[in-house]
Amino acid sequence: RMDQALLLVRNELPAEGLCLAALSSSCHQCLYQFLAFVPPSNGSQTKPGMAAVTVDTQHPLTLLLNASVGDRELCKIQYHFGEFGNYSLVVKTPSTSNKTVSCDLVINEGPINSYLPILFAFLVYMGILAILIVGCLLMKIDPVRNWVFKKLNPRETDHLINSELGSPNTTESPSSDPPPHLWSTASRQRLRSLDTFRGLSLIIMVFVNYGGGKYWFFKHESWNDICQVHFPSAPFSRFVFIMGTSISLSLSSMLRWGSSKQKVLRKILWRSFLLILLGILVVNPNYCLGPLSWDNLRIPGVLQRLGFAYLVVAALELLFTRAGAESGTLETRCPALQDILPYWPQWIFIVMLEVIWLCLTFLLPVPGCPRGYLGPGGIGDFGNYPNCTGGAAGYIDRLLLGEKHIYQHPSSSVIYQTTMPYDPEGILGTINTIFMAFLGLQAGKIILFYKDEHKQIMSRFLIWSIVMGIISAILTKCSKEEGFIPINKNLWSISYVTTMSCFAFILLLLIYYLVDVKRLWSGAPFFYPGMNSILVYIGHEIFENYFPFKWKMQDSQSHAEHLTQNLTATTLWVIISYLLYRRKIFWKI
């Protein structure tokens, strides 16, 4: 099968049976898992004891061979098997006089290169991008542009030429279109970088949700995130971050245009209610499996968490917003902190939330588990706490929501073989999601306070990124497993939030510089799904199992076919969002 290899164990020892066990390098402090018993050869060289097992190829494995009698360790081998490879492990004594045991790993049939489809897909998309760039450059040449317009619509040729080159009567007509520079000014009022940032995060999220070609590195990490920036962990957190940025800008705009706080609050409550309702009744249930049933309906979810975080952060911003702060007319003792000090009550509220998270996480007693347990349970921590998945976070969800109403197949179930349900969008992690959105809100305030001061905006983005990075380094000790609070997307740990916000500030800085400052990039194609983010997210969840987003594969064990299907589905949503943008159709909640 995919991500597996065949291992034939050949036991030439005359009187000793073998017990084969394996341990994945991605499984922290785990127990060896029994794979097979290999019988002895009984003195026959022509008929040695044999056993065939499948081994995982996603991560390096440590194979342990023990004698079946006395549990004596014979040999230990570390090896990273290749997908669909065929291997033999020969166990024998080099000579009759020598009692030492040798274990030789032989490659019978070489593995395939399962990463070639990624390279091919990259080249295809780069080819499409090159064609589009060349096409845009050619369209800037007047004869080429006029020829294209003529071929597309001969009757409108004169009108199109005049609209592009200008006609003698255009400037004299009172009903004529505004000059090109006025159109440019109007179109740049909305920061394209924010929609581009949102669209990029969304498209990666859609690709990962569709399967990511079934590659392990496009799946959510089993527990603690590797290298602190695991690919699938980042999109949702960046989406939360940019939601906070949009809250700052949208609330400022509504209040500036004369909307009362009561009216804005009603809109915040209604939008939050709709997001939570859509998540519970539309996104979570799989209607292909039957009608909606309360008995096993999952209550938490992505939209639910977005809705609740939006409610808290938007209400917090609305409650403590101060007249004159954003225009720079409000005096502060420290001008360098003018985007922070006027909002000190918000910071006190966020600090209180983080204190609550820390107290519940590290002080709440969980039956059968040590206080402050942050591990995956299962076979992790040497199998001492098999039912402690997620510690206090999992316990609170099971206690308040019930085991049947949370996620039943957490990512920890594969590597750590956990059996307890655990929801990565649970109650306790929502506190840190609010913190992530609040940091995005801070980015929005920077844009408002330093409007059109590009150097100030970018320098403050950089400062915030450095501060968040330093906090992450302290919390994690720059280690995956050994820090005070590991980076963990399942728990939405505070170190996860500071790390993801560190990279979110950097990414926003780069996109803002390219799109809105230098205008070297229009934001396409990510700008279009960013303008219709809710529609694209809900649509990709609803139509996930329908053609043309999914079809019956000829070989379901092929990364190439899965990657083709997942990239096709993701690209279709980009095309749909582009067509909706061209028709000025935007679904807002």
Side-chain angles (χ1 to χ4, degrees):
R1 297 176 64 87
M2 212 162 24
D3 298 324
Q4 289 183 344
L6 177 64
L7 176 64
L8 302 174
V9 185
R10 179 186 175 101
N11 183 10
E12 297 183 1
L13 302 181
E16 282 189 298
L18 304 176
C19 290
L20 176 66
L23 175 64
S24 173
S25 64
S26 66
C27 198
H28 180 62
Q29 293 184 342
C30 290
L31 299 171
Y32 278 90
Q33 297 303 295
F34 176 78
L35 293 182
F37 170 75
V38 188
S41 65
N42 292 325
S44 173
Q45 294 294 327
T46 57
K47 292 185 178 181
M50 298 287 291
V53 295
T54 56
V55 291
D56 179 67
T57 62
Q58 296 181 7
H59 307 282
L61 293 180
T62 299
L63 298 178
L64 179 65
L65 276 168
N66 288 346
S68 58
V69 178
D71 200 29
R72 177 170 59 94
E73 180 179 320
L74 299 179
C75 59
K76 185 185 291 186
I77 297 176
Q78 291 184 341
Y79 193 76
H80 194 169
F81 294 92
E83 188 175 22
F84 297 123
N86 189 320
Y87 303 85
S88 288
L89 180 59
V90 182
V91 184
K92 60 184 179 180
T93 54
S95 64
T96 55
S97 60
N98 192 347
K99 293 185 178 181
T100 59
V101 176
S102 69
C103 301
D104 300 318
L105 192 64
V106 181
I107 301 176
N108 303 323
E109 184 177 344
I112 67 168
N113 189 342
S114 58
Y115 304 121
L116 283 178
I118 297 177
L119 176 61
F120 181 75
F122 174 78
L123 294 176
V124 169
Y125 277 95
M126 287 299 101
I128 295 174
L129 178 62
I131 292 172
L132 292 176
I133 292 174
V134 171
C136 290
L137 293 176
L138 289 175
M139 287 297 290
K140 290 183 179 180
I141 303 173
D142 290 342
V144 175
R145 182 172 65 251
N146 295 337
W147 179 82
V148 172
F149 287 155
K150 184 176 180 180
K151 290 296 182 181
L152 291 176
N153 196 346
R155 295 182 180 181
E156 296 292 331
T157 301
D158 293 337
H159 171 71
L160 291 171
I161 292 175
N162 288 334
S163 66
E164 288 292 328
L165 303 179
S167 65
N169 297 325
T170 299
T171 56
E172 299 175 4
S173 173
S175 60
S176 62
D177 293 335
H181 70 274
L182 293 180
W183 281 113
S184 176
T185 303
S187 65
R188 303 301 294 193
Q189 287 180 351
R190 183 183 179 98
L191 287 175
R192 293 179 70 95
S193 57
L194 302 187
D195 293 307
T196 303
F197 185 102
R198 185 188 301 109
L200 173 62
S201 304
L202 177 62
I203 288 305
I204 296 176
M205 197 188 311
V206 169
F207 174 67
V208 170
N209 289 347
Y210 275 144
K214 299 297 181 182
Y215 288 100
W216 67 268
F217 43 80
F218 289 149
K219 299 177 183 178
H220 292 293
E221 185 69 9
S222 295
W223 200 244
N224 293 335
D225 286 325
I226 62 173
C227 300
Q228 286 72 51
V229 285
H230 190 241
F231 182 82
S233 303
F236 180 38
S237 62
R238 289 201 297 259
F239 198 86
V240 173
F241 180 89
I242 205 65
M243 180 184 72
T245 307
S246 300
I247 288 173
S248 179
L249 301 177
S250 61
L251 291 188
S252 173
S253 177
M254 285 188 284
L255 294 174
R256 191 169 59 250
W257 283 95
S259 297
S260 66
K261 285 192 175 184
Q262 291 77 11
K263 182 179 179 181
V264 174
L265 181 60
R266 285 195 297 269
K267 186 172 183 178
I268 291 171
L269 292 171
W270 176 244
R271 190 181 193 197
S272 303
F273 171 75
L274 283 181
L275 284 171
I276 295 171
L277 192 68
L278 285 169
I280 294 176
L281 299 182
V282 178
V283 175
N284 277 3
N286 188 345
Y287 291 101
C288 292
L289 301 179
L292 181 66
S293 172
W294 175 254
D295 293 337
N296 54 7
L297 177 66
R298 180 191 176 199
I299 296 176
V302 170
L303 287 184
Q304 296 89 306
R305 179 168 281 192
L306 285 174
F308 194 78
Y310 173 82
L311 172 64
V312 174
V313 174
L316 189 65
E317 174 68 2
L318 182 66
L319 180 62
F320 293 107
T321 187
R322 300 179 64 181
E326 294 161 4
S327 60
T329 59
L330 187 66
E331 293 184 2
T332 58
R333 293 182 179 180
C334 183
L337 301 177
Q338 61 176 324
D339 55 331
I340 299 176
L341 292 182
Y343 300 95
W344 61 266
Q346 296 179 349
W347 283 97
I348 291 177
F349 180 82
I350 292 298
V351 169
M352 290 174 59
L353 282 182
E354 289 307 313
V355 170
I356 292 173
W357 183 85
L358 289 169
C359 290
L360 289 175
T361 299
F362 291 100
L363 300 179
L364 181 69
V366 179
C369 306
R371 287 181 187 267
Y373 182 71
L374 299 176
I379 63 174
D381 299 295
F382 307 110
N384 293 324
Y385 316 112
N387 297 324
C388 294
T389 304
Y395 175 67
I396 291 173
D397 289 341
R398 293 189 292 270
L399 182 67
L400 299 181
L401 303 177
E403 290 190 5
K404 292 185 178 180
H405 298 294
I406 60 178
Y407 195 52
Q408 300 296 307
H409 308 287
S411 57
S412 58
S413 62
V414 179
I415 297 293
Y416 290 95
Q417 300 181 20
T418 58
T419 56
M420 298 294 291
Y422 178 81
D423 207 306
E425 277 79 49
I427 297 172
L428 194 57
T430 304
I431 293 177
N432 285 335
T433 307
I434 293 170
F435 181 35
M436 185 80 188
F438 182 75
L439 291 171
L441 182 80
Q442 188 61 40
K445 289 177 182 176
I446 291 171
I447 294 172
L448 288 172
F449 272 87
Y450 301 96
K451 188 175 182 181
D452 297 328
E453 298 180 37
H454 301 312
K455 288 185 178 179
Q456 281 282 1
I457 291 173
M458 292 189 292
S459 64
R460 296 185 80 84
F461 284 169
L462 180 61
I463 291 171
W464 271 102
S465 177
I466 294 172
V467 170
M468 291 295 108
I470 292 173
I471 295 174
S472 296
I474 294 172
L475 292 175
T476 63
K477 298 181 182 178
C478 297
S479 168
K480 177 184 176 182
E481 306 285 355
E482 306 302 329
F484 299 110
I485 303 177
I487 295 170
N488 191 298
K489 193 262 182 187
N490 287 284
L491 295 171
W492 266 76
S493 62
I494 186 172
S495 57
Y496 170 79
V497 171
T498 55
T499 303
M500 291 299 109
S501 61
C502 167
F503 290 102
F505 274 112
I506 286 292
L507 181 62
L508 182 57
L509 187 158
L510 292 174
I511 295 178
Y512 176 76
Y513 177 77
L514 293 173
V515 175
D516 286 317
V517 178
K518 292 298 183 180
R519 301 184 185 180
L520 299 173
W521 177 31
S522 67
F526 305 113
F527 171 77
Y528 307 114
M531 291 287 288
N532 251 319
S533 56
I534 297 297
L535 184 146
V536 171
Y537 181 81
I538 294 178
H540 102 275
E541 289 279 4
I542 293 176
F543 298 105
E544 177 181 5
N545 295 314
Y546 297 93
F547 184 83
F549 305 101
K550 192 173 185 178
W551 58 83
K552 187 176 180 180
M553 299 181 182
Q554 292 183 351
D555 183 5
S556 62
Q557 299 303 313
S558 167
H559 280 294
E561 288 204 40
H562 280 282
L563 186 65
T564 301
Q565 186 179 87
N566 300 154
L567 285 175
T568 300
T570 305
T571 304
L572 283 175
W573 283 113
V574 175
I575 295 172
I576 290 170
S577 62
Y578 171 74
L579 295 176
L580 292 174
Y581 175 82
R582 294 289 295 179
R583 295 178 178 272
K584 298 182 180 180
I585 299 174
F586 307 104
W587 187 31
K588 303 293 182 182
I589 294 179

